Amino acid sequence: MVEVTLWGSLAAAADNNSKVEIEARNIRELFKRLAERFPALEPLMDRGISVAIDGTIYRDTWSKELPTGAEIYLLPRLAGG
């Protein structure tokens, strides 16, 4: 079980939960379980989410293992030019 902090529109899409506990071993499984629990998150995840684990940002490393007790934040990706 990991505790995840959801920022901004992600928290709103998760029924206004800024922190959730999810059973997941890696980022891919985390996204799958979040989408099952909070279907409104799926379109936001499809647009792109950055994952910060203990201060390091992961963007496309979905097999990255989630260490027990890690500080995990999900942030909507910013687009711009």
Side-chain angles (χ1 to χ4, degrees), residues 20-46:
V20 295
E21 287 192 355
I22 297 285
E23 186 70 39
R25 293 179 307 241
N26 57 45
I27 294 172
R28 177 175 283 115
E29 193 173 300
L30 174 66
F31 284 0
K32 180 181 177 206
R33 297 273 166 84
L34 282 169
E36 291 169 355
R37 187 166 163 191
F38 304 107
L41 276 174
E42 195 160 12
L44 298 173
M45 288 190 281
D46 289 343

Side-chain angles (χ1 to χ4, degrees), residues 1-80:
M1 188 77 71
V2 294
E3 183 178 83
V4 180
T5 301
L6 304 171
W7 279 84
S9 60
L10 299 178
D15 300 331
N16 292 315
N17 290 297
S18 61
K19 288 189 185 274
V20 295
E21 287 192 355
I22 297 285
E23 186 70 39
R25 293 179 307 241
N26 57 45
I27 294 172
R28 177 175 283 115
E29 193 173 300
L30 174 66
F31 284 0
K32 180 181 177 206
R33 297 273 166 84
L34 282 169
E36 291 169 355
R37 187 166 163 191
F38 304 107
L41 276 174
E42 195 160 12
L44 298 173
M45 288 190 281
D46 289 343
R47 280 186 250 159
I49 291 180
S50 294
V51 180
I53 302 172
D54 290 332
T56 301
I57 295 177
Y58 297 88
R59 294 188 187 177
D60 297 312
T61 313
W62 307 137
S63 62
K64 170 67 178 160
E65 193 171 311
L66 302 174
T68 303
E71 188 173 69
I72 303 170
Y73 288 83
L74 298 185
L75 311 112
R77 283 198 191 170
L78 298 175

